[in-house]
Each structure stands twice: as C-alpha cells, then as structure tokens.
Amino acid sequence: MELKNILSAKRTAVLKKWFDVILESYPPNTAEFLRTQKDPFANPVGHTIFEGMEGIFDELLEGVDSHKASVFLDNIIRVRAIQDFTPSQAVLFVFLLKKVIEEEVGEELRKEGLSEELTLLNSRIDKLALLAFDIYMKCREKLYELRAKELENRTFRLLKKANLVYEIQEQEAESRN
Amino acid sequence: MAKGTPKPDELSRIDYTPPQKEWMDTPVKLKPGMYCWGAKAKNLQAVGFPNARDWTPADEDWKLPENWEWTVLEGIYDRLKKYRSFQLFLDICVRCGACADKCHFYIGSGDPKNMPVLRAELLRSVYRRHFTFGGKLLGRIAGARKLTLDVLKEWWYYFFQCTECRRCSVFCPYGIDQAEITMMGRELLNLLGLNIDWIQGPVANCYKKGNHLGLEPHTIMSNIEFMLDDIESITGIRIEPSFNRKGAEILFVTPSGDLFADPGTYTCMGYLMLFHELGLDYTWSTYASEGGNFGFFTTNEMAKRLNAKIYAEAKRLGVKWILGGECGHMWRVVHQYMDTWNGPADFLEEPVSPITGTKFENAKTTKMVHIAEFTADLIRHGKLNLDPSRNDHLKVTFHDSCNTSRGMGIFEEPRYIIKNVCNNFYEMPENTIREKTFCCGSGSGLNAGENMELRMRGGLPRANAVKYVHEKYGVNMLANICAIDRAALSTLMDYWVPGVGVTGVHELVANALVMKGEKKRTTNLRGEPLPGVEEEEEEGKEEKEEQGG
Ligand code: SF4
Ligand code: SF4
C-alpha cells in the first residue's frame, strides 16, 4: 500500500525519466522531435511510446494483469519491432524502468523499510519483460505472415481459376466414367 | 546468442545511445527487410537499360561498369541542363528544416537520413563538390563530398526509401519537391543498372505485354469473365462487356492490379456493374491493359515509352475519349505528363458524359477523365438508383492517395460518392488527409514483400490516424482510389490496426447500386451476407418452424 502511494506521488517524475532514457535509443535530433512534438498524428511514435508507458506504469502499481499489460506493451513493441533495433534493444525499455525506479524512489523505499516491496516490484517488471519478448517475437512473425498473405492475395484469383479448371476436369472425368 | 546481444545482467547497465556522429560519417548499412532485390539482367535487357547483369544488393560487389563515377557525374550534368527544377532544388534549399519531420519514413523510423532535407543532401553534397565552385574549394566545410562507392550505396538505399509522395513539398516554403530529387537520384542509379526488380520486372512485362503482370489478352478476358460469373450469381444479371471494340465511344483504362489482386478485383466488378447499368458505350483494351506506369519509377524516358500505348490504342480503336479507373500514380502520370510526352491527342474529343451531358473541361487537353469525377457527376444528376443501407455494416473513412491528392487535387469527388453510397462516414484528423495526407508507405514501386519492415515503418503515420478513428468511431473500412493502396493498406492494417478492411470506392458504389432487373441481393460483392439478410433468414426460419409446430 505504502509503495503504491510513494510511486503514485512520483508518477510524473518517473515517467519523464523513463521516457528520456527510452528516447536515448534514438539519434539526438530524433529524440528531440519525439519528445517535443505534442501532436499525436504528427508524432505517432513519441505519442504511442508515452501512452504505453503510462499504461504500463499504472498496471505495475496494480499488480500486472498479463492481458491488460500486454496491450500497452504491444503498442510500444509493435513500433520498435520495425525500427532499427536488435531484439534486445527493442525490449530493453522494460528493464530500464527498474533503473529509473531505483534512481527515483529506491532510497526512499529502503528508508521506509519497504525493500521487500521493491523486490516484488522488480519481479513484476521481470514479468513484463518476459511478456515483452513474446510480443516482440509475435510482431516479427507477423511480418513474415504478411509477406505470405500478400502473395496469396495476389495470386488468389489465379489459384481459384486453377481449381476451377481442376474441378471441371474432375467432373468431366466423372461423367465419362 | 546472436552477436552483440548483451547478457541479462548487462541489460540494465547498457548504454545504447547511438554515437553522435555527423551524417557524412555514418556509413550506410543495408538492413534486410529495408530494401528490395536488385533488378535482374533479363528485365533490364528487355528495355535496353544499361549494365544489365544479375546482382545482389547485399554483396560487396555491385558489378558496376568501369568509370561508373564518370557516368553518374555526366548524368547529373545532363539533368541539370535538362530540368530547371532540378538545378533550382539543389541550389535554393536554406536548410530551414520545415520539411524534416514531415516524411512518413522519418516519422516512422527516426532515421535522420529519412528527413527530406537530408535525403536531398545525399545528392546535393555530391553536386556541390563536383559542380559548384565553393564546394570544390571548401569541400566538407561547404557540405560537399566526393562521389564514392559508399555514397552510391547510400543513394540507392535511401532513394528507394522515398515513395515520391511529395508530402514534404507541401511544407517547404520554397516548394522544393524531394520527390523530383528522388526521381533524379533513381535515374542516375539506372544509368548503372541499379534499379530494384520489383519495379524492373513490371516494366519489362509492361513493355512486352502491355501490363505489369504480363497478362496476355486471353488471360485478361477470361479473368474478367470470371468476375462476370460472380456478378451474375450475386445480382442475377449477366454482363457482356466488349474488348478491343473499334468505334466504341469510350476506352476504359485501369491498373492491372484490379484484374487480379484482392480486394482490387471487387472494385473492378464495381466498374463493370456501373457501366452495364448506364448502358455505356465503352470498351476494354487488352493492349492498353495497364493504367499504372512503373516506368515512372525508373526514368522519364521509360515512363513515356510505356505511356504511349494509351493514346495509340485510343487512336486505333477510334474512341472519342478515355475513362480511367481508380489508381494513384497512373493519374499523376496522366495529369502531369501524358499530354507533353505523347500528346496532343487532337484525334480525341473533349470528354462529355453521355449520361449527364457534363463537359469535363479539366480534361480538355488529356481527354482522359477520372472515374471518381465521372461517378460523382452521375450521382449529382440523380442518375443512379442507390441504396446506401446495403453498406450499413460499414463505418468508412477515406485515405487520400498521394498522387490523386497532391498530384491532381482530387479531394471532394470520392468523399461525395462515399457519402451517397454509405451512411457512416468519418474523417481522419485534419493533418493526415487531403493535401497533407500520409502515404501508404508502399508507393513508387516499393510495395514488394522483401522490404516489409520498411513498408510498415512508412505506413505507421497513416495507420496511426486510422487507428484513431477505429477506436473513436468504430471505423472498420478504409476506402481509397488507388490500386496499390488497396493491396498495401490491407497489409498495413493487418499489422497496425486489425479489424479494418480496405476497399475501392467503386466497390462501395456497386454494392449500393440498385440495378434494373436485379434479383434480391443477399450478399455483397465479397460474398458476405448483406446487413439484415441473416436476421431476415433467421426470422423466416423461425416463422416456418412456428407454422410447422
Ligand atoms: S517525397 Fe514523401 S517519401 Fe520522399 S522525402 Fe518527401 S515526404 Fe518523404
Ligand atoms: S523545407 Fe525546403 S528549404 Fe527548408 S530544409 Fe526542407 S527543402 Fe530545404
């Protein structure tokens, strides 16, 4: 309970710092753009990341419901899965939250005798990280699936026609027998 | 573990801030998923393009001709003389940055070399070094650099990461059009046989067979025949269009994608049904069987060669004017280039709608009318019997294709049509539509499979706006008037906004169109039950059961 209160009070500071360290993974000009452009349609990446972070943070306070957390994680990872990142870089942002929380409230929590709760919090973040890997893999698999599906759409009519021909041949063969 | 992957305990300590290097010092690295396969020898040969050989972009050796630097520099020189805009665009940029964050590829990737201003600098820096006094003298201080193999590879990578959409030009105070610089860049690359096969294959096909897919006349006809069967089973009406018919009033030209690729095929069925209902005196051509023009993504000259068949066929058949289907770059070419390339089409008449008598004065010189204008005019004059409730299961938004919007200013007609054939229409946010529309991310010949990652990056801003109306209003259908959009956006939605389908505008028209003598329709063109039909059937069944019991 205590932990939740302390973290809630620091929500803005934690989110800001977390956002900053995530943006460090982009080139400086880009990070600046992602940070400052507030229009969600002109800056979908910055907007999506921040919104996802908010969701994940609030979820963390409540105890991480896999289903709900996945939605927020998915929004961010879907973006990073198609950007210039290795798999580990793409999901690193989850681990970075540990670092940010430690820096922002670690000392306070220990002073309040809440070390155990901090450990619990970290294990929740680990859970998020595992989810993140799964989501990343799904996004990458999706890219391959899309390729295959496009090919199918492009040739569907041809295939259908081929089947039709086949059907007719079959019927003819049948009527001959 | 893959090379460079950190161990778990290193993860939270890792510093992964990219090195703060100047762009000139960041050599290009070709990332799989971001580029297309190189043009094949046989496809380059087919149209007599230079340096025809099989090559692989991932290989160190691109099998360039000797003296390739000279070929490129000479190519720049020729184009500076030929195109005033090219020289102007290279000279007048003040690097104000207004365009920098307007490109969908930059917005989606965050890669600075996708900023339009920097994309131009890739070429401009070489221009400065070799063609300006200051650049020769001061070199790097003046933003100049020598043409090297690395530079060439960088050009190739990034000029095939620009969809020539022209969004950046809308925001540039000088109207600098990066699309034109990309076109020049691609022309220069073509001098060395460095195109991509996704473009070069269709070009070769189109040159030999008249369309990108390389369909022969009997295949085109039998495929349309196939659609006619579907239309008959849905409406009870047998349509009999004509092919290559001399003396028809109108020649109809559409992108060949509509003939084969779903969901474009439903749009094509829409054209067939509309024209039948009107009793239009028109013909298809199996020779001018492609409205699109992938030549446009190679060189100006090639685009002209491929475009020539449209007027040639109109002349051969003796039609009065040409009607064109839903396509993007086809219209950029028709609207901005066809007349100067292959005109004047003085053997054709100024187009007049035989149904409404409307003169299409905007098509006075090209003699080619966009089907959205044609249909909007029909609706305006009350010539179509429409039942929009057949589209009631749809909540529709409209994606302005880059070429029809920024290339020719078609904004209202498709919206007017949609609002007359659908009851639920919602706009995406203002800075993502009309002249500020975001590209699908797959234009200018980049709609291949091997560069899927690139396409998903480029399409992100578009998809993001769709997602917004999907979540806010429940939008479930993304309408457009472009064949490439129909294929590319379907894939894009699948990745970013599952649950949103993609349709051409004339598919919506045909579903709402009440045709003379049609049977009671129970499904739409995709064979899905029409709204209300399932319930009706259920009720019917229940009634019967009650009567029986
Ligand atoms: S033309 Fe389009 S794709 Fe090319 S740089 Fe400009 S905005 Fe980007
Ligand atoms: S907006 Fe125009 S002048 Fe400004 S940097 Fe871009 S291309 Fe150059």
Side-chain angles (χ1 to χ4, degrees):
Chain A
M1 197 56 209
E2 276 291 325
L3 172 84
K4 197 175 159 185
N5 286 345
I6 294 172
L7 273 179
S8 301
K10 290 272 187 174
R11 188 176 187 272
T12 314
V14 170
L15 286 178
K16 187 183 171 300
K17 195 157 198 176
W18 193 21
F19 195 40
D20 283 345
V21 292
I22 292 177
L23 293 189
E24 278 174 21
S25 59
Y26 294 91
N29 296 355
T30 303
E32 193 50 27
F33 163 68
L34 295 176
R35 194 187 343 264
T36 50
Q37 173 54 266
K38 296 294 178 214
D39 183 322
F41 304 106
N43 177 14
V45 172
H47 177 74
T48 303
I49 292 178
F50 197 79
E51 226 181 37
M53 284 167 38
E54 286 180 314
I56 294 168
F57 184 81
D58 295 340
E59 203 37 45
L60 200 61
L61 298 186
E62 298 303 329
V64 183
D65 171 286
S66 296
H67 183 69
K68 274 201 232 158
S70 290
V71 175
F72 300 121
L73 284 169
D74 187 288
N75 286 345
I76 300 180
I77 294 165
R78 197 159 289 273
V79 170
R80 292 177 69 88
I82 50 104
Q83 293 181 325
D84 263 335
F85 297 119
T86 62
S88 56
Q89 286 170 341
V91 296
L92 180 65
F93 73 95
V94 181
F95 294 96
L96 289 175
L97 181 57
K98 273 190 191 177
K99 186 174 143 191
V100 171
I101 288 181
E102 172 60 37
E103 281 172 17
E104 283 295 312
V105 292
E107 206 168 313
E108 192 178 343
L109 290 177
R110 271 185 291 274
K111 238 190 255 164
E112 298 282 332
L114 293 170
S115 311
E116 261 176 48
E117 301 209 14
L118 185 62
T119 312
L120 181 73
L121 194 71
N122 280 336
S123 74
R124 283 185 194 161
I125 296 178
D126 288 339
K127 184 175 166 188
L128 287 174
L130 292 177
L131 283 175
F133 278 116
D134 286 346
I135 294 170
Y136 177 85
M137 282 314 294
K138 272 195 209 128
C139 289
R140 295 299 303 185
E141 276 162 18
K142 185 78 191 173
L143 290 177
Y144 292 103
E145 186 196 311
L146 293 176
R147 278 185 72 172
K149 218 162 146 186
E150 267 197 353
L151 198 70
E152 193 185 301
N153 282 350
R154 272 188 209 124
T155 47
F156 177 67
R157 295 258 155 189
L158 280 172
L159 292 175
K160 214 164 141 192
K161 217 157 78 178
N163 285 339
L164 193 77
V165 173
Y166 179 69
E167 266 170 31
I168 293 169
Q169 279 171 345
E170 223 173 24
Q171 276 166 8
E172 277 175 2
E174 261 168 355
S175 61
R176 252 183 269 131
N177 289 342
Chain B
M1 207 177 261
K3 220 172 109 204
T5 307
K7 292 187 192 76
D9 61 329
E10 285 171 1
L11 277 172
S12 57
R13 285 183 273 121
I14 200 163
D15 172 19
Y16 70 141
T17 311
Q20 304 214 1
K21 274 200 205 150
E22 293 273 330
W23 69 267
M24 274 196 208
D25 302 325
T26 321
V28 64
K29 233 174 55 205
L30 268 52
K31 187 184 179 204
M34 291 293 292
Y35 61 88
C36 295
W37 312 142
K40 291 199 184 90
K42 65 173 175 70
N43 292 328
L44 289 165
Q45 249 153 21
V47 293
F49 272 175
N51 201 26
R53 82 270 172 248
D54 286 329
W55 66 291
T56 312
D59 286 353
E60 198 58 35
D61 179 10
W62 280 11
K63 304 182 191 168
L64 298 175
E66 273 193 34
N67 266 334
W68 64 266
E69 296 93 336
W70 181 247
T71 308
V72 172
L73 292 176
E74 208 176 40
I76 297 178
Y77 180 72
D78 289 346
R79 280 158 189 80
L80 287 171
K81 274 197 307 191
K82 200 166 157 197
Y83 304 111
R84 254 188 311 160
S85 56
F86 184 40
Q87 169 97 56
L88 202 68
F89 292 166
L90 290 182
D91 282 335
I92 63 170
C93 171
V94 293
R95 287 188 257 182
C96 70
C99 63
D101 56 1
K102 304 304 187 294
C103 173
H104 50 288
F105 283 115
Y106 176 66
I107 295 173
S109 71
D111 179 348
K113 286 179 190 167
N114 276 322
M115 293 177 177
V117 51
L118 209 43
R119 202 190 304 283
E121 279 301 298
L122 302 179
L123 203 159
R124 196 179 276 130
S125 52
V126 170
Y127 160 75
R128 281 202 198 97
R129 171 68 178 72
H130 295 275
F131 294 89
T132 68
F133 183 67
K136 268 182 210 156
L137 200 70
L138 299 171
R140 194 167 164 148
I141 304 169
R145 63 174 178 171
K146 254 180 86 172
L147 178 62
T148 63
L149 185 60
D150 274 344
V151 169
L152 186 77
K153 291 192 172 185
E154 192 178 45
W155 282 9
W156 185 81
Y157 195 55
Y158 287 102
F159 289 143
F160 287 101
Q161 284 185 36
C162 164
T163 43
E164 302 181 0
C165 79
R166 308 173 83 206
R167 187 170 195 268
C168 49
S169 74
V170 173
F171 298 88
C172 174
Y174 297 94
I176 294 177
D177 186 355
Q178 174 56 38
E180 282 198 26
I181 299 179
T182 295
M183 284 176 191
M184 291 301 112
R186 290 196 189 178
E187 284 212 1
L188 296 170
L189 291 164
N190 254 288
L191 296 172
L192 307 175
L194 295 175
N195 214 302
I196 59 173
D197 208 55
W198 190 259
I199 291 174
Q200 198 57 37
V203 166
N205 277 337
C206 204
Y207 189 65
K208 288 185 286 193
K209 305 271 171 68
N211 56 70
H212 291 157
L213 300 171
L215 309 174
E216 300 193 344
H218 60 278
T219 318
I220 295 175
M221 288 166 69
S222 72
N223 211 64
I224 289 183
E225 202 62 29
F226 201 60
M227 294 182 198
L228 299 174
D229 294 343
D230 282 356
I231 294 173
E232 185 173 8
S233 64
I234 294 164
T235 66
I237 295 172
R238 185 72 200 176
I239 296 176
E240 284 171 3
S242 63
F243 295 90
N244 308 321
R245 178 164 59 89
K246 287 193 176 171
E249 181 180 355
I250 298 164
L251 167 65
F252 181 64
V253 178
T254 201
S256 64
D258 283 352
L259 300 175
F260 266 90
D262 288 347
T265 43
Y266 306 115
T267 304
C268 194
M269 286 158 76
Y271 308 144
L272 287 159
M273 289 161 68
L274 176 69
F275 301 157
H276 172 84
E277 181 61 13
L278 297 171
L280 206 64
D281 178 14
Y282 84 106
T283 187
W284 293 78
S285 164
T286 54
Y287 168 57
S289 49
E290 179 64 74
N293 191 333
F294 269 34
F296 192 53
F297 310 133
T298 62
T299 66
N300 184 58
E301 197 50 38
M302 192 66 236
K304 178 181 169 178
R305 279 159 84 191
L306 295 184
N307 174 264
K309 66 178 178 283
I310 297 183
Y311 280 154
E313 183 67 337
K315 195 169 193 176
R316 185 179 76 90
L317 296 176
V319 299
K320 287 187 182 152
W321 55 279
I322 309 164
L323 183 62
E326 296 184 14
C327 186
H329 72 283
M330 152 177 163
W331 280 103
R332 172 111 188 259
V333 166
V334 167
H335 187 69
Q336 299 188 327
Y337 299 88
M338 182 161 77
D339 184 36
T340 34
W341 280 342
N342 295 311
D346 44 14
F347 51 91
L348 295 172
E349 292 175 15
E350 190 179 325
V352 176
S353 168
I355 316 296
T356 65
T358 299
K359 264 193 187 178
F360 294 100
E361 285 173 5
N362 55 327
K364 208 175 197 158
T365 52
T366 60
K367 317 285 198 298
M368 186 153 172
V369 175
H370 193 290
I371 192 160
E373 295 170 334
F374 179 74
T375 304
D377 174 65
L378 292 170
I379 295 174
R380 180 106 181 121
H381 285 86
K383 299 292 182 191
L384 300 180
N385 186 3
L386 298 167
D387 176 5
S389 76
R390 285 187 191 159
N391 286 321
D392 269 356
H393 57 306
L394 301 179
K395 292 192 170 154
V396 183
T397 192
F398 180 69
H399 160 72
D400 293 272
S401 307
C402 306
N403 286 303
T404 49
S405 57
R406 285 187 282 269
M408 66 187 299
I410 291 198
F411 301 122
E412 300 311 326
E413 291 85 348
R415 289 180 166 79
Y416 179 77
I417 297 173
I418 294 171
K419 286 180 194 161
N420 275 282
V421 299
C422 300
N423 287 320
N424 313 304
F425 177 72
Y426 303 90
E427 287 282 13
M428 285 182 273
E430 179 274 331
N431 54 346
T432 72
I433 55 170
R434 296 178 189 263
E435 67 270 29
K436 293 188 200 132
T437 188
F438 274 120
C439 180
C440 63
S442 303
S444 78
L446 301 184
N447 54 328
E450 62 270 21
N451 61 340
M452 195 54 82
E453 190 172 320
L454 172 75
R455 291 175 50 194
M456 293 304 110
R457 286 184 189 187
L460 191 162
R462 167 75 301 153
N464 178 61
V466 177
K467 191 173 181 200
Y468 173 76
V469 286
H470 174 62
E471 284 169 358
K472 186 158 181 193
Y473 306 112
V475 161
N476 57 8
M477 193 49 90
L478 178 57
N480 60 78
I481 48 170
C482 168
I484 288 179
D485 277 336
R486 282 189 279 280
L489 290 175
S490 301
T491 308
L492 193 71
M493 290 301 108
D494 208 351
Y495 186 78
W496 292 113
V497 205
V500 176
V502 175
T503 181
V505 169
H506 279 77
E507 179 185 343
L508 298 172
V509 171
N511 276 325
L513 186 68
V514 181
M515 298 171 74
K516 292 183 270 304
E518 70 177 18
K519 68 176 192 192
K520 185 172 165 29
R521 288 201 213 173
T522 54
T523 71
N524 63 19
L525 296 185
R526 300 186 186 196
E528 302 153 353
L530 285 177
V533 169
E534 266 176 344
E535 292 108 77
E536 259 174 50
E537 277 174 5
E538 282 296 309
E539 276 166 28
K541 237 187 264 164
E542 275 167 27
E543 262 168 41
K544 258 186 216 155
E545 272 164 23
E546 270 166 31
Q547 283 162 0

